[in-house]
Amino acid sequence: MSTSKRPPKIAMIGAGSVVFAKRLLVDLLSWSALRDSEIALMDIHQGRLDLIHALGTRLVQQEGLGARITKTTDRRAALDGADYVICSIQVGGLEMYEPDVEIPRRYGIDQTVGDTLGPGGVFRGLRTVPVLVSIARDMEALCPHALLINYSNPMNINMWGVSAATRIRNIGLCHSVQGTAGQLARYMGVPPEELSFWCAGINHQAWYLDLRRGHGGARGEDLYPLLRQKLDDPETFARDRVRFEVMRHFGYFVTESTHHMSEYVPWFRTSSEQIERFTTPRWDYFDICKNRQDPHYEKMERQARGEEPVETDRTHEYCSYIVNSMETNTPYVMNANVQNTLGRSSGVAGGAGAVLISNLPPACNVEVPCLVDGSGVRPCAVGDLPEQLAAINRTNVNVQALAVEGALSGDREMIYRAVQMDPLTSALLTLDRTRQMVDELFAAEASVLPQFATRRQRADVAVAV
């Protein structure tokens, strides 16, 4: 929360992700309490930074706002005095994303996204954790009171690493909880505004523990019987095969999409037949990123030049609601990713030592309901998940724990073990084959994994820099 009555300073690190940055800019400036904010845009890509700055400046002019939009490639300048730091970075870009998916594919591991778990998610985490930790350490020096709001995947590995290595308050945000809630409403024919839920677990694998129509708590209509009816409707089942199949066997609906969820468990991607049965039409996010022609970019260029108006509709992203709530002391409820054991890095003013999900490891990162107001973000204690759900989560947390330890220590053995413990990888590869694959990934991504260089290699890098 801002510590003075001045308008808040909001730093956006990774603002060159222009479509998402535009969405956040519009959202933030749609609130009357934030219309005079300073928004410091930072990215290492000058061209994209120039575009989002021009578009933000145009939005301020169009709406007659008092906001000040600045741009810089100097991260410390953006962070200096910030009250909120929003991070959406992709370390290594598409160049490093390609080996994340192509090398495992040669070994028979077909990841549909590869940014959260599995070989791709682990190596994205190895690239990202050190950068996020360095951002948080800059925050300790330049804006120690600020709240770090992270959007970068792999969410659990990244936020666990930041909490383990720094004292900065942090939360991670995703749109799968509110996005899936909207899908569930459509599946059941329920108006979205009438849907209420209690959802908890880990990012990309949280569970709708309670799903009701109406806002009367236990007095609302339990919607799970209706959702189970939809499970037996072939048309509805075909729209979300993996998630409905998981619900059939484990009793609850999960937050992340059929394509994503199929990567995190050992049951749906072990053969071409299984992939065909559960995840058609085939969907490959790397190919989409590599080959897409983005019409949004050209549209934003026209908007930045004033040839088209900038749209001002607020999206369902949680970020702006949180900032507005903290600045105005307006209560707000949402789901966020936080440390399972509350401490100094949890973003909570009190309650240190409380465990939120009691049958998940205390140090891990969890996604739980949170209350927000002028005092900050206050995660809610959930207690035990149904044991079958916690068991699925723990298979993913095992990978995350080893990946975080390796990312922070530079211990390659931890990374071999992390990937060997991955549910899908372990269903397909022997231990030796997994090590071979991991060695290939290390070789392909060595330039962005300095923590794993030998002492001699580190010295060479230091001299080169």
Side-chain angles (χ1 to χ4, degrees):
M1 182 176 137
S2 178
T3 56
S4 72
K5 292 185 179 179
R6 62 170 173 78
K9 178 178 179 180
I10 304 165
M12 294 177 60
I13 309 300
S17 178
V18 289
V19 175
F20 189 62
K22 175 197 171 186
R23 185 185 308 171
L24 293 183
L25 267 176
V26 170
D27 285 355
L28 289 164
L29 295 178
S30 70
W31 298 95
S32 60
L34 306 179
R35 61 185 293 125
D36 295 327
S37 301
E38 176 185 352
I39 300 182
L41 305 171
M42 181 271 159
D43 202 271
I44 60 174
H45 190 292
Q46 187 68 59
R48 288 179 170 270
L49 181 63
D50 290 343
L51 174 58
I52 192 62
H53 177 261
L55 191 141
T57 301
R58 177 60 189 161
L59 174 64
V60 169
Q61 294 169 347
Q62 173 185 302
E63 299 301 306
L65 307 176
R68 185 162 73 98
I69 313 294
T70 64
K71 64 177 178 178
T72 181
T73 57
D74 182 344
R75 189 175 77 199
R76 289 178 64 87
L79 294 174
D80 192 14
D83 301 292
Y84 306 91
V85 177
I86 304 167
C87 193
S88 56
I89 61 174
Q90 183 180 356
V91 179
L94 282 178
E95 181 183 355
M96 290 299 141
Y97 186 15
E98 185 166 12
D100 283 351
V101 294
E102 294 298 341
I103 290 174
R105 188 171 288 158
R106 292 205 304 268
Y107 282 79
I109 300 172
D110 186 358
Q111 302 167 106
T112 186
V113 181
D115 73 347
T116 297
L117 206 72
V122 168
F123 271 80
R124 182 177 289 229
L126 301 186
R127 300 193 300 270
T128 310
V129 166
V131 178
L132 285 176
V133 168
S134 69
I135 291 170
R137 287 179 176 157
D138 281 349
M139 290 174 64
E140 288 176 334
L142 299 166
C143 52
H145 65 281
L147 175 65
L148 173 62
I149 302 173
N150 176 60
Y151 274 101
S152 300
N153 283 325
M155 183 65 69
N156 292 307
I157 291 172
N158 289 342
M159 302 313 292
W160 192 337
V162 169
S163 293
T166 78
R167 299 176 61 175
I168 285 296
R169 297 185 304 153
N170 63 76
I171 60 171
L173 295 184
C174 184
H175 30 252
S176 61
V177 172
Q178 67 270 45
T180 295
Q183 286 179 287
L184 289 173
R186 290 190 292 274
Y187 292 160
M188 296 183 289
V190 173
E193 65 274 11
E194 295 183 16
L195 191 73
S196 63
F197 54 85
W198 183 250
C199 183
I202 61 175
N203 180 241
H204 286 190
Q205 203 180 72
W207 310 92
Y208 292 89
L209 303 174
D210 194 51
L211 194 61
R212 294 185 180 272
R213 184 171 189 164
H215 303 287
R219 292 177 287 119
E221 175 193 355
D222 181 5
L223 288 174
Y224 260 110
L226 177 57
L227 188 59
R228 292 188 184 99
Q229 290 177 22
K230 295 297 180 180
L231 171 63
D232 296 322
D233 171 41
E235 183 178 343
T236 305
F237 179 83
R239 294 166 66 184
D240 222 335
R241 299 175 188 179
V242 167
R243 291 200 285 188
F244 276 118
E245 189 70 6
V246 168
M247 189 181 80
R248 184 196 310 278
H249 292 276
F250 295 95
Y252 294 86
F253 205 85
V254 72
T255 50
E256 197 45 67
S257 69
T258 271
H259 296 289
H260 259 307
M261 183 61 180
S262 69
E263 298 179 281
Y264 311 147
V265 290
W267 307 305
F268 303 106
R269 306 190 71 82
T270 53
S271 69
S272 58
E273 292 78 17
Q274 285 294 87
I275 292 172
E276 181 74 16
R277 178 183 174 192
F278 284 104
T279 64
T280 52
R282 200 173 184 85
W283 196 79
D284 186 308
Y285 187 63
F286 171 72
D287 286 345
I288 292 171
C289 292
K290 182 179 178 180
N291 298 316
R292 68 184 171 193
Q293 299 294 318
D294 194 347
H296 299 290
Y297 196 87
E298 293 180 1
K299 182 176 183 178
M300 284 189 291
E301 288 182 322
R302 294 193 298 272
Q303 291 174 338
R305 294 191 298 265
E307 297 169 4
E308 291 184 24
V310 181
E311 307 95 330
T312 57
D313 291 340
R314 189 183 299 154
T315 74
H316 68 296
E317 294 290 346
Y318 287 144
C319 182
S320 75
Y321 291 85
I322 293 168
V323 176
N324 179 69
S325 176
M326 291 176 66
E327 287 297 310
T328 62
N329 196 28
T330 303
Y332 179 62
V333 179
M334 52 89 201
N335 277 67
N337 297 276
V338 297
Q339 196 175 18
N340 196 23
T341 301
L342 300 184
R344 283 180 300 219
S345 63
S346 66
V348 179
V355 177
L356 301 173
I357 299 181
S358 44
N359 52 352
L360 292 183
C364 76
N365 202 255
V366 294
E367 189 164 58
V368 295
C370 298
L371 307 177
V372 191
D373 60 18
S375 66
V377 180
R378 295 181 176 271
C380 299
V382 173
D384 280 354
L385 295 177
E387 187 54 38
Q388 73 274 19
L389 307 184
I392 295 173
N393 284 166
R394 286 192 294 261
T395 67
N396 286 221
V397 171
N398 292 337
V399 178
Q400 296 156 13
L402 292 162
V404 169
E405 184 171 342
L408 294 175
S409 68
D411 186 343
R412 287 173 69 116
E413 286 298 321
M414 290 298 112
I415 307 311
Y416 294 128
R417 293 162 185 162
V419 181
Q420 286 167 335
M421 292 298 297
D422 172 60
L424 181 56
T425 302
S426 62
L428 287 163
L429 298 185
T430 64
L431 294 172
D432 285 342
R433 287 282 287 166
T434 303
R435 288 181 78 94
Q436 292 170 11
M437 179 181 67
V438 170
D439 281 334
E440 284 197 41
L441 285 161
F442 270 124
E445 303 186 20
S447 63
V448 287
L449 299 174
Q451 72 271 44
F452 294 98
T454 64
R455 186 175 300 176
R456 173 65 179 273
Q457 288 169 328
R458 288 174 186 156
D460 291 343
V461 170
V463 170
V465 171

